Amino acid sequence: MSQVTAIHTDQLYIGGRWVAPHSGDRLEVFSPATGELIGSVPSADAADVDAAVTAAREAFDSGEWRNTPPAERAAVLRRAAELINERGGQIGALISAEMGATPADVATLQQLPGTGVLAGYADAADTYPWEEKRTGIFGETLVVREPVGVVGAITAWNVPLFLLCNKFGPALAAGCSVVLKPAPETPLNANLLAELFTEAGVPEGVISVVPGGVETGRALVDHPGVDKITFTGSTAAGRAIAARCGETLKRCTLELGGKSAAIVLDDVDIAAAAPMLVFSGMLNAGQACVAQTRVLVPRSRHDEIVQAMVDVAATFTPGLPSDPETKIGPLITSAQHDKVTDYIERGKADGATAVLEVAGPRVGTEQWVGPTIFTGVTNDMTIAREEIFGPVVSVIAYDDVDEAIAIANDSDYGLAGSVWTADIARGVDIAKQIRTGTMGINWYAIDPASPFGGYKGSGIGRENGREGLESYLEHKSILMPMGYSS
Ligand code: NAD
């Protein structure tokens, strides 16, 4: 263990206070790099979830937070962002230890966008029309927006700081209470961050953390005191959660998997594009929902583009997160490592060619997959259809742009994507034709002020900006007496 002293917590953070857990079950967290035990927390069971939801309900019903003016709630989010930035080193080291990304990548891919979305939700709360007068056929109506209530938030392990901010941010901006169930692989940072939000000014009762696995998540989804579930994770789990929410008519936002296409046009400046293009496919060791893992290239420039990508990807050195030379950290678990290597073998068996396949270092857990690029991929191959969640990019050749658009759209997913071209207007025109939630022109990023989410199997609903805030609100219409005019 390089930078973090093992954290062993005996209590659960429920309603803004540390309390004894119901059972003696514990979640142990092992370093994906070294295999060392880096900490453990109590595993919350259904009784703990009930205590957390009860605290959240009482806090919500008391009205303290939901009746706090939106501008004051926004100020608390901004304060939380400041605290995260002040303690970025400590938080980054902990998350690096938990999930294997380098501290530099945690700063770039989690802290920066995480604090960015907190600022974005604060801005959205400041400018949102919380009350609005409308005139209809009966005269005047007052439309008011109210917090949806108690939110159950369930998150994945791949970018835990960013995901926590994207759950706490909109829920708190809206005036809701939140019970967070972090991924069992990364529960330690959730406790630290929840305390930080309390320090920023969130009142007692409003925030709880219930670390645990699928059973804990199910208890939260099924709890009758929860009004909305917000989920980030796999499409398979999202489907199961949506079905349970359907039974109890809970509101539900789902941020799920992806298999995004980067469409490279024939006019691309490939020397300029290659570093961003490869990064977009392999960021976070490929453990990114928005990874651009299908790279569609014009057949006329195929070899040149592949060579440029291989040259860049070969510099994505796999190694220990503590090594400043490391570009690709270990995969989260040995199971994930086996899954990714199985996909690589499947790609070869299906006839694709691995033009780059870098072995991981033989250290620690040996849970690395080095940068891997396949050519000769067709869009019906398993490696082009399924989310691999490792640094594996498939190059697919196309003959004309209509074919490229058809290939990009021929996917069960629709989360992200990009177009790479010298002609920005042409890029935007193509971006409009892709059935996916976000597109980048000559790069890819998630903008805190703009809606983010999936088409098709990538999810339901949107996060970020006004749309993200809105999904934590109910809309109420109060009809004024006929003839009334304010
Ligand atoms: P996962 O679906 O296995 O688990 C995610 C979370 O859901 C965990 O906390 C898990 O304990 C919980 N969970 C799983 N099944 C559940 C159930 N039936 N009921 C309640 N809770 C349940 O996903 P993962 O392996 O942790 O994360 C990787 C996935 O997350 C990838 O598919 C990735 O694309 C996706 N992801 C999506 C986004 C996005 O914004 N769209 C962001 C990050 C990750």
Side-chain angles (χ1 to χ4, degrees):
M1 188 184 340
S2 50
Q3 297 142 314
V4 173
T5 308
I7 298 175
H8 298 283
T9 315
D10 291 327
Q11 294 177 308
L12 292 169
Y13 197 68
I14 290 189
R17 290 184 300 126
W18 290 102
V19 302
H22 176 250
S23 84
D25 294 347
R26 297 191 69 81
L27 270 181
E28 293 186 320
V29 182
F30 296 94
S31 158
T34 63
E36 288 168 290
L37 182 68
I38 58 165
S40 69
V41 292
S43 182
D45 65 10
D48 299 311
V49 169
D50 183 54
V53 174
T54 301
R57 187 89 253 159
E58 284 172 8
F60 186 76
D61 291 344
S62 81
E64 183 183 358
W65 182 242
R66 70 182 151 94
N67 292 330
T68 298
E72 286 179 33
R73 297 200 297 259
V76 170
L77 292 188
R78 291 194 180 95
R79 178 74 188 128
E82 276 169 23
L83 291 174
I84 289 171
N85 284 333
E86 279 169 19
R87 294 172 204 168
Q90 180 200 5
I91 296 166
L94 177 57
I95 293 178
S96 171
E98 279 185 286
M99 49 74 64
T102 65
D105 273 353
V106 176
T108 314
L109 302 175
Q110 302 192 43
Q111 184 181 332
L112 187 66
T115 53
V117 294
L118 292 178
Y121 286 122
D123 292 346
D126 275 343
T127 55
Y128 192 73
W130 295 94
E131 290 196 4
E132 185 190 340
K133 272 191 296 189
R134 296 216 189 146
T135 305
I137 56 169
F138 302 120
E140 198 172 302
T141 298
L142 182 65
V143 179
V144 294
R145 277 82 181 207
E146 299 176 344
V148 70
V150 173
V151 172
I154 300 174
T155 50
W157 47 264
N158 65 326
V159 278
L161 168 58
F162 174 65
L163 297 181
L164 182 143
C165 290
N166 229 332
K167 302 304 182 199
F168 279 2
L172 295 173
C176 298
S177 305
V178 204
V179 178
L180 172 73
K181 193 209 80 66
E185 296 84 356
T186 54
L188 304 177
N189 69 84
N191 281 342
L192 182 74
L193 289 163
E195 262 193 323
L196 179 149
F197 273 80
T198 302
E199 189 182 334
V202 177
E204 199 167 286
V206 172
I207 289 176
S208 295
V209 179
V210 285
V214 173
E215 285 310 315
T216 312
R218 285 204 184 111
L220 187 57
V221 172
D222 288 345
H223 199 293
V226 173
D227 298 292
K228 174 189 167 99
I229 291 292
T230 176
F231 172 73
T232 298
S234 63
T235 297
R239 244 184 223 117
I241 288 170
R244 307 292 287 215
C245 287
E247 280 176 30
T248 50
L249 283 184
K250 286 190 177 75
R251 285 85 184 109
C252 178
T253 300
L254 304 170
E255 292 288 347
L256 310 177
K259 192 73 197 178
S260 298
I263 304 176
V264 183
L265 300 188
D266 55 4
D267 63 357
V268 72
D269 174 353
I270 191 58
M276 291 292 287
L277 188 57
V278 172
F279 177 75
S280 301
M282 298 190 179
L283 72 171
N284 214 32
Q287 302 170 124
C289 55
V290 295
Q292 323 269 307
T293 49
R294 292 183 297 151
V295 177
L296 315 188
V297 309
R299 207 175 296 278
S300 59
R301 294 189 62 189
H302 174 274
D303 293 355
E304 173 201 353
I305 293 170
V306 168
Q307 189 57 55
M309 289 176 59
V310 166
D311 289 348
V312 171
T315 68
F316 278 44
T317 316
L320 289 168
S322 53
D323 183 344
E325 298 299 311
T326 294
K327 289 278 180 14
I328 292 187
L331 297 176
I332 185 77
T333 55
S334 62
Q336 183 65 17
H337 172 267
D338 293 349
K339 188 177 145 202
V340 174
T341 50
D342 283 353
Y343 273 120
I344 291 173
E345 293 314 310
R346 179 69 190 263
K348 292 175 188 169
D350 285 348
T353 305
V355 288
L356 180 73
E357 189 180 8
V358 177
R362 290 265 165 263
V363 294
T365 59
E366 302 190 5
Q367 258 164 235
W368 277 261
V369 171
T372 303
I373 296 180
F374 275 107
T375 58
V377 179
T378 53
N379 202 43
D380 57 350
M381 290 182 186
T382 301
I383 56 169
R385 302 215 70 84
E386 297 183 9
E387 188 183 46
I388 297 174
F389 237 50
V392 182
V393 165
S394 293
V395 177
I396 303 175
Y398 69 83
D399 289 309
D400 60 48
V401 169
D402 286 346
E403 186 190 359
I405 292 168
I407 293 170
N409 282 331
D410 177 15
S411 174
D412 295 336
Y413 296 104
L415 188 60
S418 53
V419 186
W420 304 76
T421 175
D423 183 342
I424 305 303
R426 189 173 169 223
V428 171
D429 179 55
I430 291 169
K432 287 179 179 172
Q433 298 179 62
I434 310 302
R435 290 188 53 75
T436 191
T438 46
M439 288 289 287
I441 310 294
N442 292 340
W443 74 314
Y444 181 82
I446 297 174
D447 173 23
S450 308
F452 168 78
Y455 284 41
K456 302 187 274 183
S458 290
I460 295 177
R462 291 292 178 271
E463 293 189 325
N464 293 359
R466 173 171 294 199
E467 292 79 2
L469 174 62
E470 207 146 57
S471 74
Y472 289 78
L473 298 171
E474 295 280 13
H475 302 257
K476 179 185 286 174
S477 298
I478 304 174
L479 273 80
M480 307 312 267
M482 288 179 109
Y484 174 88
S485 178
S486 61

mmCIF file of all heavy atoms in Angstrom, residues 154-158 163 181-184 212-214 217-218 221 231-234 237 240-241 255-258 289 387 389 415 452, ligand 1:
data_model
loop_
_atom_site.group_PDB
_atom_site.id
_atom_site.type_symbol
_atom_site.label_atom_id
_atom_site.label_comp_id
_atom_site.label_asym_id
_atom_site.label_seq_id
_atom_site.Cartn_x
_atom_site.Cartn_y
_atom_site.Cartn_z
ATOM 1 N N ILE A 154 -27.636 4.314 -6.497
ATOM 2 C CA ILE A 154 -26.806 3.098 -6.580
ATOM 3 C C ILE A 154 -25.750 3.327 -7.656
ATOM 4 O O ILE A 154 -26.083 3.700 -8.783
ATOM 5 C CB ILE A 154 -27.687 1.875 -6.929
ATOM 6 C CG1 ILE A 154 -28.756 1.679 -5.853
ATOM 7 C CG2 ILE A 154 -26.830 0.622 -7.085
ATOM 8 C CD1 ILE A 154 -29.775 0.594 -6.159
ATOM 9 N N THR A 155 -24.483 3.114 -7.307
ATOM 10 C CA THR A 155 -23.411 3.494 -8.233
ATOM 11 C C THR A 155 -22.435 2.359 -8.535
ATOM 12 O O THR A 155 -22.318 1.395 -7.780
ATOM 13 C CB THR A 155 -22.605 4.689 -7.678
ATOM 14 O OG1 THR A 155 -22.223 4.392 -6.331
ATOM 15 C CG2 THR A 155 -23.416 5.968 -7.703
ATOM 16 N N ALA A 156 -21.715 2.545 -9.652
ATOM 17 C CA ALA A 156 -20.660 1.627 -10.081
ATOM 18 C C ALA A 156 -19.323 2.043 -9.465
ATOM 19 O O ALA A 156 -19.215 3.100 -8.839
ATOM 20 C CB ALA A 156 -20.573 1.649 -11.612
ATOM 21 N N TRP A 157 -18.282 1.238 -9.691
ATOM 22 C CA TRP A 157 -16.979 1.449 -9.067
ATOM 23 C C TRP A 157 -16.008 2.203 -9.961
ATOM 24 O O TRP A 157 -14.917 2.574 -9.529
ATOM 25 C CB TRP A 157 -16.339 0.086 -8.735
ATOM 26 C CG TRP A 157 -16.437 -0.866 -9.900
ATOM 27 C CD1 TRP A 157 -17.412 -1.817 -10.081
ATOM 28 C CD2 TRP A 157 -15.616 -0.911 -11.074
ATOM 29 N NE1 TRP A 157 -17.236 -2.442 -11.292
ATOM 30 C CE2 TRP A 157 -16.139 -1.906 -11.917
ATOM 31 C CE3 TRP A 157 -14.490 -0.211 -11.503
ATOM 32 C CZ2 TRP A 157 -15.582 -2.224 -13.165
ATOM 33 C CZ3 TRP A 157 -13.926 -0.515 -12.743
ATOM 34 C CH2 TRP A 157 -14.475 -1.516 -13.553
ATOM 35 N N ASN A 158 -16.331 2.400 -11.238
ATOM 36 C CA ASN A 158 -15.278 2.802 -12.188
ATOM 37 C C ASN A 158 -14.839 4.261 -12.055
ATOM 38 O O ASN A 158 -13.679 4.574 -12.307
ATOM 39 C CB ASN A 158 -15.679 2.469 -13.626
ATOM 40 C CG ASN A 158 -16.874 3.260 -14.106
ATOM 41 O OD1 ASN A 158 -17.774 3.566 -13.337
ATOM 42 N ND2 ASN A 158 -16.886 3.597 -15.375
ATOM 43 N N LEU A 163 -19.317 9.798 -9.920
ATOM 44 C CA LEU A 163 -20.687 9.275 -9.821
ATOM 45 C C LEU A 163 -21.366 9.776 -8.550
ATOM 46 O O LEU A 163 -22.547 10.138 -8.563
ATOM 47 C CB LEU A 163 -20.684 7.741 -9.864
ATOM 48 C CG LEU A 163 -20.146 7.128 -11.165
ATOM 49 C CD1 LEU A 163 -20.217 5.603 -11.104
ATOM 50 C CD2 LEU A 163 -20.917 7.632 -12.383
ATOM 51 N N LYS A 181 -25.986 3.834 -2.109
ATOM 52 C CA LYS A 181 -25.335 2.522 -2.006
ATOM 53 C C LYS A 181 -24.184 2.490 -3.006
ATOM 54 O O LYS A 181 -24.388 2.332 -4.210
ATOM 55 C CB LYS A 181 -26.301 1.369 -2.317
ATOM 56 C CG LYS A 181 -25.682 0.030 -1.889
ATOM 57 C CD LYS A 181 -26.110 -1.157 -2.665
ATOM 58 C CE LYS A 181 -25.430 -1.353 -3.974
ATOM 59 N NZ LYS A 181 -23.977 -1.657 -3.902
ATOM 60 N N PRO A 182 -22.963 2.679 -2.505
ATOM 61 C CA PRO A 182 -21.823 2.656 -3.419
ATOM 62 C C PRO A 182 -21.517 1.222 -3.852
ATOM 63 O O PRO A 182 -21.984 0.265 -3.236
ATOM 64 C CB PRO A 182 -20.684 3.224 -2.561
ATOM 65 C CG PRO A 182 -21.060 2.881 -1.153
ATOM 66 C CD PRO A 182 -22.570 2.871 -1.095
ATOM 67 N N ALA A 183 -20.714 1.091 -4.894
ATOM 68 C CA ALA A 183 -20.304 -0.248 -5.350
ATOM 69 C C ALA A 183 -19.493 -0.930 -4.246
ATOM 70 O O ALA A 183 -18.734 -0.266 -3.535
ATOM 71 C CB ALA A 183 -19.471 -0.119 -6.610
ATOM 72 N N PRO A 184 -19.631 -2.244 -4.104
ATOM 73 C CA PRO A 184 -18.900 -2.932 -3.034
ATOM 74 C C PRO A 184 -17.384 -2.866 -3.212
ATOM 75 O O PRO A 184 -16.641 -3.015 -2.246
ATOM 76 C CB PRO A 184 -19.396 -4.383 -3.135
ATOM 77 C CG PRO A 184 -20.024 -4.503 -4.490
ATOM 78 C CD PRO A 184 -20.494 -3.141 -4.871
ATOM 79 N N GLY A 212 -22.587 -2.025 0.403
ATOM 80 C CA GLY A 212 -23.055 -3.402 0.283
ATOM 81 C C GLY A 212 -23.081 -3.836 -1.155
ATOM 82 O O GLY A 212 -22.741 -3.075 -2.063
ATOM 83 N N GLY A 213 -23.526 -5.071 -1.345
ATOM 84 C CA GLY A 213 -23.594 -5.629 -2.687
ATOM 85 C C GLY A 213 -25.009 -5.570 -3.242
ATOM 86 O O GLY A 213 -25.800 -4.688 -2.895
ATOM 87 N N VAL A 214 -25.315 -6.551 -4.086
ATOM 88 C CA VAL A 214 -26.596 -6.548 -4.794
ATOM 89 C C VAL A 214 -27.783 -6.600 -3.821
ATOM 90 O O VAL A 214 -28.786 -5.907 -4.014
ATOM 91 C CB VAL A 214 -26.636 -7.732 -5.781
ATOM 92 C CG1 VAL A 214 -28.007 -7.868 -6.422
ATOM 93 C CG2 VAL A 214 -25.563 -7.566 -6.858
ATOM 94 N N GLY A 217 -28.505 -3.298 -2.468
ATOM 95 C CA GLY A 217 -29.114 -2.493 -3.523
ATOM 96 C C GLY A 217 -30.584 -2.846 -3.704
ATOM 97 O O GLY A 217 -31.441 -1.956 -3.832
ATOM 98 N N ARG A 218 -30.877 -4.140 -3.667
ATOM 99 C CA ARG A 218 -32.283 -4.571 -3.833
ATOM 100 C C ARG A 218 -33.149 -4.041 -2.688
ATOM 101 O O ARG A 218 -34.284 -3.620 -2.902
ATOM 102 C CB ARG A 218 -32.364 -6.101 -3.860
ATOM 103 C CG ARG A 218 -31.894 -6.687 -5.156
ATOM 104 C CD ARG A 218 -32.501 -8.083 -5.394
ATOM 105 N NE ARG A 218 -31.923 -8.628 -6.617
ATOM 106 C CZ ARG A 218 -31.078 -9.649 -6.659
ATOM 107 N NH1 ARG A 218 -30.726 -10.284 -5.564
ATOM 108 N NH2 ARG A 218 -30.602 -10.064 -7.813
ATOM 109 N N VAL A 221 -33.917 -0.514 -3.472
ATOM 110 C CA VAL A 221 -34.863 -0.384 -4.597
ATOM 111 C C VAL A 221 -36.280 -0.743 -4.146
ATOM 112 O O VAL A 221 -37.256 -0.097 -4.546
ATOM 113 C CB VAL A 221 -34.417 -1.279 -5.778
ATOM 114 C CG1 VAL A 221 -35.478 -1.310 -6.869
ATOM 115 C CG2 VAL A 221 -33.083 -0.784 -6.347
ATOM 116 N N PHE A 231 -29.693 5.186 -10.791
ATOM 117 C CA PHE A 231 -28.772 4.055 -10.894
ATOM 118 C C PHE A 231 -27.725 4.299 -11.963
ATOM 119 O O PHE A 231 -28.056 4.726 -13.078
ATOM 120 C CB PHE A 231 -29.553 2.778 -11.247
ATOM 121 C CG PHE A 231 -28.668 1.597 -11.558
ATOM 122 C CD1 PHE A 231 -27.978 0.953 -10.545
ATOM 123 C CD2 PHE A 231 -28.509 1.149 -12.856
ATOM 124 C CE1 PHE A 231 -27.145 -0.129 -10.832
ATOM 125 C CE2 PHE A 231 -27.679 0.072 -13.154
ATOM 126 C CZ PHE A 231 -26.999 -0.573 -12.137
ATOM 127 N N THR A 232 -26.468 4.015 -11.661
ATOM 128 C CA THR A 232 -25.409 3.976 -12.666
ATOM 129 C C THR A 232 -24.724 2.636 -12.563
ATOM 130 O O THR A 232 -24.185 2.282 -11.512
ATOM 131 C CB THR A 232 -24.381 5.107 -12.454
ATOM 132 O OG1 THR A 232 -25.054 6.359 -12.600
ATOM 133 C CG2 THR A 232 -23.281 5.030 -13.489
ATOM 134 N N GLY A 233 -24.758 1.894 -13.667
ATOM 135 C CA GLY A 233 -24.144 0.572 -13.674
ATOM 136 C C GLY A 233 -24.429 -0.127 -14.989
ATOM 137 O O GLY A 233 -24.702 0.517 -16.002
ATOM 138 N N SER A 234 -24.400 -1.446 -14.947
ATOM 139 C CA SER A 234 -24.534 -2.220 -16.176
ATOM 140 C C SER A 234 -25.973 -2.222 -16.686
ATOM 141 O O SER A 234 -26.927 -2.027 -15.921
ATOM 142 C CB SER A 234 -24.087 -3.661 -15.916
ATOM 143 O OG SER A 234 -24.949 -4.248 -14.966
ATOM 144 N N ALA A 237 -28.131 -4.981 -14.904
ATOM 145 C CA ALA A 237 -28.651 -4.599 -13.583
ATOM 146 C C ALA A 237 -29.699 -3.502 -13.724
ATOM 147 O O ALA A 237 -30.710 -3.487 -13.006
ATOM 148 C CB ALA A 237 -27.503 -4.136 -12.680
ATOM 149 N N ALA A 240 -33.051 -4.993 -14.450
ATOM 150 C CA ALA A 240 -33.652 -5.622 -13.257
ATOM 151 C C ALA A 240 -34.197 -4.539 -12.320
ATOM 152 O O ALA A 240 -35.308 -4.673 -11.773
ATOM 153 C CB ALA A 240 -32.600 -6.470 -12.537
ATOM 154 N N ILE A 241 -33.440 -3.467 -12.146
ATOM 155 C CA ILE A 241 -33.860 -2.391 -11.237
ATOM 156 C C ILE A 241 -35.091 -1.674 -11.788
ATOM 157 O O ILE A 241 -36.048 -1.378 -11.052
ATOM 158 C CB ILE A 241 -32.675 -1.430 -10.992
ATOM 159 C CG1 ILE A 241 -31.653 -2.123 -10.093
ATOM 160 C CG2 ILE A 241 -33.131 -0.107 -10.387
ATOM 161 C CD1 ILE A 241 -30.327 -1.414 -9.958
ATOM 162 N N GLU A 255 -28.373 5.187 -15.827
ATOM 163 C CA GLU A 255 -27.179 5.500 -16.621
ATOM 164 C C GLU A 255 -26.423 4.191 -16.798
ATOM 165 O O GLU A 255 -25.811 3.691 -15.853
ATOM 166 C CB GLU A 255 -26.302 6.525 -15.883
ATOM 167 C CG GLU A 255 -26.915 7.904 -15.756
ATOM 168 C CD GLU A 255 -26.943 8.653 -17.083
ATOM 169 O OE1 GLU A 255 -26.280 8.227 -18.048
ATOM 170 O OE2 GLU A 255 -27.648 9.677 -17.155
ATOM 171 N N LEU A 256 -26.440 3.642 -18.023
ATOM 172 C CA LEU A 256 -25.979 2.268 -18.196
ATOM 173 C C LEU A 256 -24.768 2.170 -19.130
ATOM 174 O O LEU A 256 -24.034 3.126 -19.279
ATOM 175 C CB LEU A 256 -27.158 1.427 -18.703
ATOM 176 C CG LEU A 256 -28.451 1.584 -17.881
ATOM 177 C CD1 LEU A 256 -29.588 0.778 -18.482
ATOM 178 C CD2 LEU A 256 -28.221 1.201 -16.420
ATOM 179 N N GLY A 257 -24.570 1.035 -19.726
ATOM 180 C CA GLY A 257 -23.359 0.775 -20.493
ATOM 181 C C GLY A 257 -23.350 1.431 -21.864
ATOM 182 O O GLY A 257 -24.304 2.092 -22.273
ATOM 183 N N GLY A 258 -22.238 1.222 -22.582
ATOM 184 C CA GLY A 258 -22.114 1.813 -23.909
ATOM 185 C C GLY A 258 -21.201 1.016 -24.817
ATOM 186 O O GLY A 258 -20.457 0.127 -24.369
ATOM 187 N N CYS A 289 -17.858 4.057 -19.285
ATOM 188 C CA CYS A 289 -19.107 3.829 -20.023
ATOM 189 C C CYS A 289 -19.094 4.538 -21.367
ATOM 190 O O CYS A 289 -19.693 4.084 -22.324
ATOM 191 C CB CYS A 289 -20.292 4.300 -19.190
ATOM 192 S SG CYS A 289 -20.138 6.016 -18.655
ATOM 193 N N GLU A 387 -20.044 -4.570 -24.535
ATOM 194 C CA GLU A 387 -19.171 -3.678 -23.770
ATOM 195 C C GLU A 387 -18.079 -4.519 -23.107
ATOM 196 O O GLU A 387 -18.378 -5.399 -22.303
ATOM 197 C CB GLU A 387 -20.006 -2.961 -22.703
ATOM 198 C CG GLU A 387 -19.248 -1.887 -21.978
ATOM 199 C CD GLU A 387 -20.083 -1.236 -20.876
ATOM 200 O OE1 GLU A 387 -20.735 -1.965 -20.104
ATOM 201 O OE2 GLU A 387 -20.077 0.008 -20.786
ATOM 202 N N PHE A 389 -15.172 -3.196 -21.423
ATOM 203 C CA PHE A 389 -14.709 -2.547 -20.202
ATOM 204 C C PHE A 389 -13.242 -2.869 -19.910
ATOM 205 O O PHE A 389 -12.842 -3.202 -18.792
ATOM 206 C CB PHE A 389 -15.604 -2.924 -19.009
ATOM 207 C CG PHE A 389 -16.192 -1.704 -18.330
ATOM 208 C CD1 PHE A 389 -16.833 -0.719 -19.057
ATOM 209 C CD2 PHE A 389 -16.095 -1.524 -16.945
ATOM 210 C CE1 PHE A 389 -17.364 0.417 -18.451
ATOM 211 C CE2 PHE A 389 -16.624 -0.395 -16.322
ATOM 212 C CZ PHE A 389 -17.259 0.574 -17.084
ATOM 213 N N LEU A 415 -24.840 5.670 -25.929
ATOM 214 C CA LEU A 415 -24.463 6.575 -24.835
ATOM 215 C C LEU A 415 -23.632 7.762 -25.318
ATOM 216 O O LEU A 415 -23.919 8.906 -24.980
ATOM 217 C CB LEU A 415 -23.685 5.805 -23.765
ATOM 218 C CG LEU A 415 -23.396 6.581 -22.485
ATOM 219 C CD1 LEU A 415 -24.682 7.023 -21.803
ATOM 220 C CD2 LEU A 415 -22.553 5.761 -21.520
ATOM 221 N N PHE A 452 -26.644 14.647 -20.194
ATOM 222 C CA PHE A 452 -25.846 13.445 -20.474
ATOM 223 C C PHE A 452 -26.692 12.225 -20.138
ATOM 224 O O PHE A 452 -27.307 12.161 -19.069
ATOM 225 C CB PHE A 452 -24.572 13.441 -19.611
ATOM 226 C CG PHE A 452 -23.849 12.122 -19.637
ATOM 227 C CD1 PHE A 452 -23.059 11.780 -20.718
ATOM 228 C CD2 PHE A 452 -23.997 11.214 -18.600
ATOM 229 C CE1 PHE A 452 -22.416 10.550 -20.756
ATOM 230 C CE2 PHE A 452 -23.351 9.982 -18.627
ATOM 231 C CZ PHE A 452 -22.549 9.655 -19.719
HETATM 232 P P1 NAD B 1 -23.135 -3.368 -11.945
HETATM 233 O O1 NAD B 1 -24.401 -3.151 -12.678
HETATM 234 O O2 NAD B 1 -22.679 -4.763 -11.746
HETATM 235 O O3 NAD B 1 -23.214 -2.714 -10.493
HETATM 236 C C1 NAD B 1 -23.488 -1.347 -10.315
HETATM 237 C C2 NAD B 1 -24.090 -1.123 -8.935
HETATM 238 O O4 NAD B 1 -25.380 -1.724 -8.881
HETATM 239 C C3 NAD B 1 -23.303 -1.753 -7.799
HETATM 240 O O5 NAD B 1 -23.381 -0.888 -6.685
HETATM 241 C C4 NAD B 1 -24.053 -3.066 -7.550
HETATM 242 O O6 NAD B 1 -23.877 -3.546 -6.237
HETATM 243 C C5 NAD B 1 -25.488 -2.631 -7.799
HETATM 244 N N1 NAD B 1 -26.422 -3.657 -8.272
HETATM 245 C C6 NAD B 1 -26.174 -4.628 -9.191
HETATM 246 N N2 NAD B 1 -27.303 -5.333 -9.424
HETATM 247 C C7 NAD B 1 -28.287 -4.788 -8.652
HETATM 248 C C8 NAD B 1 -29.672 -5.068 -8.464
HETATM 249 N N3 NAD B 1 -30.289 -6.057 -9.111
HETATM 250 N N4 NAD B 1 -30.378 -4.303 -7.594
HETATM 251 C C9 NAD B 1 -29.779 -3.275 -6.941
HETATM 252 N N5 NAD B 1 -28.462 -2.980 -7.068
HETATM 253 C C10 NAD B 1 -27.716 -3.724 -7.922
HETATM 254 O O7 NAD B 1 -22.023 -2.498 -12.727
HETATM 255 P P2 NAD B 1 -20.490 -2.339 -12.420
HETATM 256 O O8 NAD B 1 -19.749 -3.532 -12.902
HETATM 257 O O9 NAD B 1 -20.285 -1.908 -11.005
HETATM 258 O O10 NAD B 1 -20.126 -1.077 -13.335
HETATM 259 C C11 NAD B 1 -19.811 -1.159 -14.674
HETATM 260 C C12 NAD B 1 -20.995 -0.744 -15.525
HETATM 261 O O11 NAD B 1 -21.431 0.575 -15.184
HETATM 262 C C13 NAD B 1 -20.637 -0.672 -17.006
HETATM 263 O O12 NAD B 1 -21.662 -1.275 -17.754
HETATM 264 C C14 NAD B 1 -20.572 0.829 -17.282
HETATM 265 O O13 NAD B 1 -20.805 1.166 -18.638
HETATM 266 C C15 NAD B 1 -21.631 1.343 -16.376
HETATM 267 N N6 NAD B 1 -21.459 2.791 -16.125
HETATM 268 C C16 NAD B 1 -22.313 3.660 -16.720
HETATM 269 C C17 NAD B 1 -22.141 5.038 -16.546
HETATM 270 C C18 NAD B 1 -23.076 6.036 -17.178
HETATM 271 O O14 NAD B 1 -23.066 7.200 -16.761
HETATM 272 N N7 NAD B 1 -23.870 5.652 -18.160
HETATM 273 C C19 NAD B 1 -21.094 5.501 -15.746
HETATM 274 C C20 NAD B 1 -20.236 4.577 -15.153
HETATM 275 C C21 NAD B 1 -20.426 3.207 -15.348
#
